[in-house]
Amino acid sequence: MRLQFILSEIGLGLRRNLSMTISVVLVTFVSLTFVGAAGLLQLQIDQMKDDWYDKVEVSIFLCPSDSDAPTCVGGEATADQTEALREQLESEALEPYVEQVFYESKDDAYVAFQERFADEWWAQGVTADQLQASFRVALVDPEQYQVVSDAFTGVTGVEEVRDQRQVIEPLILVLNRSSLVAAGLAAVMLLAAVLLITTTIRLSAMSRRRETGIMRLVGASNLFIQLPFMLEGAIAATIGAALSVAGLWFGVRYLVEDWLAGEVQFVQYIGTDAVWTIAPILLVVAIGLAAVSSVVTLSRYTKV
Amino acid sequence: MIRFENVTKVYARGARPALDAVDLEVERGEFVFLVGASGSGKSTFLRLVLREERPTAGKVFVAGRDLSTLSTWKVPHLRRQIGAVFQDFRLLPNKTVFENVAFALQVIGKPRHHIMTTVPDTLELVGLGGKEKRRPHELSGGEQQRVAIARAFVNRPSILLCDEPTGNLDPTTSVGIMRLLDRINRTGTTVVMATHDDEIVDQMRKRVIELDNGQLVRDQSRGVYGSTR
Ligand SMILES: Nc1ncnc2c1ncn2[C@@H]1O[C@H](COP(=O)(O)OP(=O)(O)OP(=O)(O)O)[C@@H](O)[C@H]1O
Ligand SMILES: [Mg+2]
């Protein structure tokens, strides 16, 4: 009886304020989509950091035979120069920073190159001599790249010191900024959602003042009086959350997995499973929104 | 059943008290008329019993409970023992007679089978048998008030409070309502009725409590409306 009664009251309330209900659904939908987008961007950033920061190495490219760099006027790096560099890398001064040093000779580079571009027709024409030897330096702390870079930039026989992080960092920065923008928009939209849900519940409570007045008079408990309003808000917000999860899922599925992954291949992308990771958070936010709004409103409108 | 100990109610700071040091006791099963000029504090008295208001000073006891120490979450339980009827009926216009009465039981979580048996019994008792499916606007004023009484009584409260229940009704209809209230009283329910209706009070010859500007000025068993001082 209780449950059935409460459900019918809820249905009544939702239908009575149909346009308000729809607007609550839409506002939570949009705001949670922004929240979710911000969350997904963060997941993407984390994934890229995880993927890359571990693998990130500082590459010290040795001079090839035909370099224009001022440090390479002496032509190809000699065995002595290479040995000196290795010693310096393994010296005590750099020990706290350097985790591991790996020397990639021209032949190694050639093997790796052929492996990587095995399917490309143009790779066939490349010979080992066209490639260059390098030291691959794994750092204890990837943030400390500058120390190694300073030590080797400008040294004779070194064409270039390159930190792979420099390639990724701008991308991560862009993503971070977008995530911030999304979070900012989300905050504004969430505020709008709270205000709208508050108004909706208030209207709903006012339009049913007669009923709630009688309920109080005959001794219905506070919870019983307030529950339908709370659930109304919660249901509308939950539908909004479900829509946003669906929206994000389709977004990731078709924009990221199908399109972006095909266009820009060097990045590992998040997949639709990431959407499922943030879906519970969105749901909790939605229900939290509704709960906060109803507590604020109902304590005023349905007092004993 | 109801005891007021030196109860004073002041609504706005500095205003004249709506009730002024009222001391009185209503026994279980009594029928009491509450009379007095407009603004003398009758409705305030009833609201204090329902704990819709709290006294500024003094203590109100209802069914053995001290309302000043009753916590807010227990108020609903107090109200389940009190039925209330008003001049303006307060029915839900889009519910049928049956639904209006059943509503009072549904919202306190009574099981369906209980509702299905109690509501028809109560409607029969108030003389509305056969009109279960009507809506309030399809009923006369007297019938609407009977629905309101049925709703107030359907949970078999030990106290029935009536605030001018015949205020909107013509004399003949009022007599019918009074008979009904009398019948309910004879089932053991304590009835307190605020009224301006002198004919009814004079006819019924019940206990009469008169308020004047918030003060209790007369408490007379088998009394009449007009003061006999
Ligand atoms: N909610 C309120 N706030 C402020 N003053 C109030 C309130 N309710 C009643 N009063 C004042 O308290 C006094 C008593 O009012 P009450 O309603 O108890 O009178 P009453 O005897 O029921 O009058 P009536 O016969 O017209 O219904 C009046 O002066 C009224 O103005
Ligand atoms: Mg009054």
Side-chain angles (χ1 to χ4, degrees):
Chain A
M1 196 74 218
R2 255 168 204 258
L3 186 68
Q4 195 189 344
F5 181 74
I6 290 183
L7 289 181
S8 77
E9 287 286 301
I10 294 169
L12 215 66
L14 288 176
R15 258 177 289 131
R16 197 176 311 190
N17 299 316
L18 191 62
S19 59
M20 284 303 275
T21 308
I22 292 175
S23 54
V24 168
V25 169
L26 292 181
V27 167
T28 39
F29 166 44
V30 175
S31 54
L32 290 177
T33 303
F34 279 111
V35 173
L40 287 177
L41 277 169
Q42 275 307 324
L43 286 179
Q44 177 68 58
I45 291 167
D46 286 350
Q47 168 153 341
M48 284 163 66
K49 282 185 176 169
D50 276 359
D51 259 18
W52 286 340
Y53 276 18
D54 286 349
K55 280 189 253 163
V56 160
E57 303 157 327
V58 176
S59 302
I60 302 172
F61 289 101
L62 304 185
C63 291
S65 47
D66 57 349
S67 175
D68 299 332
T71 48
C72 293
V73 285
E76 190 172 358
T78 62
D80 284 351
Q81 282 172 339
T82 310
E83 207 42 50
L85 287 172
R86 180 194 292 280
E87 266 166 36
Q88 197 185 344
L89 276 170
E90 288 168 356
S91 72
E92 247 166 65
L94 288 181
E95 217 214 307
Y97 306 106
V98 174
E99 167 109 22
Q100 212 179 8
V101 179
F102 169 73
Y103 176 71
E104 189 181 67
S105 68
K106 284 196 289 187
D107 292 331
D108 294 337
Y110 178 74
V111 172
F113 184 86
Q114 291 300 343
E115 225 164 73
R116 173 141 191 223
F117 299 105
D119 300 335
E120 310 287 344
W121 59 269
W122 48 263
Q124 308 304 318
V126 176
T127 66
D129 271 335
Q130 286 173 293
L131 298 170
Q132 64 194 132
S134 62
F135 281 107
R136 298 293 163 92
V137 183
L139 297 181
V140 174
D141 173 7
E143 312 277 332
Q144 296 288 344
Y145 142 82
Q146 205 59 39
V147 179
V148 179
S149 167
D150 287 350
F152 295 96
T153 308
V155 174
T156 319
V158 173
E159 185 189 34
E160 193 190 3
V161 181
R162 198 189 294 156
D163 178 13
Q164 289 175 333
R165 250 165 32 105
Q166 282 177 320
V167 184
I168 316 159
E169 214 90 288
L171 187 60
I172 288 188
L173 196 68
V174 167
L175 288 178
N176 250 329
R177 293 268 160 82
S178 327
S179 151
L180 269 182
V181 170
L185 287 173
V188 175
M189 293 303 293
L190 285 179
L191 184 66
V194 167
L195 294 178
L196 193 63
I197 298 177
T198 311
T199 312
T200 309
I201 293 179
R202 183 180 311 155
L203 281 181
S204 187
M206 297 221 287
S207 73
R208 273 185 280 168
R209 245 183 330 203
R210 233 173 217 280
E211 278 93 335
T212 51
I214 292 167
M215 287 185 186
R216 281 207 304 271
L217 195 65
V218 300
S221 66
N222 246 351
L223 182 68
F224 196 95
I225 297 174
Q226 298 184 350
L227 203 60
F229 298 104
M230 293 186 195
L231 290 180
E232 260 173 60
I235 287 174
T238 306
I239 295 176
L243 285 180
S244 74
V245 169
L248 290 169
W249 191 89
F250 279 107
V252 171
R253 180 80 185 78
Y254 294 108
L255 274 179
V256 178
E257 285 187 340
D258 281 5
W259 177 72
L260 206 54
E263 297 288 311
V264 189
Q265 290 178 336
F266 70 96
V267 183
Q268 280 275 323
Y269 290 103
I270 51 165
T272 45
D273 51 330
V275 176
W276 298 122
T277 312
I278 58 165
I281 302 174
L282 297 185
L283 202 65
V284 167
V285 171
I287 290 172
L289 279 185
V292 168
S293 317
S294 33
V295 167
V296 169
T297 324
L298 291 176
S299 55
R300 284 242 304 283
Y301 282 86
T302 51
K303 235 183 290 174
V304 191
Chain B
M1 206 71 207
I2 300 172
R3 192 162 86 243
F4 274 50
E5 284 181 1
N6 211 16
V7 172
T8 298
K9 174 69 190 177
V10 182
Y11 282 105
R13 194 176 283 277
R16 164 187 82 75
L19 277 186
D20 196 353
V22 171
D23 253 315
L24 72 84
E25 178 148 11
V26 177
E27 299 291 342
R28 177 182 297 274
E30 261 192 293
F31 194 117
V32 180
F33 282 117
L34 210 53
V35 302
S38 185
S40 57
K42 304 182 295 293
S43 298
T44 301
F45 179 94
L46 299 178
R47 281 206 292 274
L48 284 167
V49 176
L50 273 169
R51 204 182 170 282
E52 283 187 352
E53 299 285 352
R54 307 184 73 165
T56 314
K59 283 188 168 177
V60 178
F61 294 85
V62 176
R65 270 180 289 204
D66 181 355
L67 298 199
S68 60
T69 61
L70 189 73
S71 54
T72 312
W73 64 273
K74 279 187 182 154
V75 170
H77 285 274
L78 169 78
R79 293 191 183 148
R80 289 177 197 187
Q81 295 178 44
I82 305 175
V85 177
F86 301 90
Q87 183 172 6
D88 55 359
F89 317 141
R90 302 196 187 172
L91 301 177
L92 299 174
N94 43 17
K95 287 193 191 294
T96 65
V97 168
F98 184 95
E99 287 164 348
N100 262 285
V101 178
F103 187 76
L105 294 177
Q106 286 168 333
V107 299
I108 58 173
K110 291 287 184 199
R112 186 188 196 88
H113 62 87
H114 176 82
I115 295 174
M116 291 324 246
T117 55
T118 319
V119 175
D121 281 356
T122 310
L123 285 175
E124 201 64 45
L125 174 82
V126 301
L128 284 175
K131 295 188 172 151
E132 293 87 350
K133 293 213 171 66
R134 303 255 196 112
R135 283 171 203 276
H137 67 88
E138 297 164 337
L139 297 173
S140 72
E143 286 167 333
Q144 289 186 45
Q145 192 60 293
R146 283 167 193 269
V147 178
I149 293 171
R151 184 180 65 198
F153 189 62
V154 71
N155 196 31
R156 299 297 183 266
S158 44
I159 300 172
L160 187 64
L161 305 178
C162 310
D163 198 350
E164 301 182 34
T166 59
N168 279 344
L169 306 175
D170 64 64
T172 343
T173 317
S174 299
V175 170
I177 294 293
M178 283 319 297
R179 287 220 185 92
L180 175 57
L181 291 179
D182 192 33
R183 190 165 347 133
I184 285 174
N185 174 236
R186 272 190 262 121
T187 65
T189 311
T190 310
V191 179
V192 179
M193 171 169 162
T195 186
H196 285 291
D197 198 327
D198 51 349
E199 270 178 49
I200 283 175
V201 177
D202 291 345
Q203 231 169 46
M204 299 278 291
R205 289 304 206 160
K206 300 282 189 186
R207 179 178 173 190
V208 175
I209 291 169
E210 184 175 345
L211 294 172
D212 182 25
N213 275 329
Q215 285 171 331
L216 199 158
V217 294
R218 177 163 63 113
D219 185 348
Q220 186 181 26
S221 54
R222 301 184 61 75
V224 291
Y225 185 81
S227 179
T228 51
R229 275 173 296 174

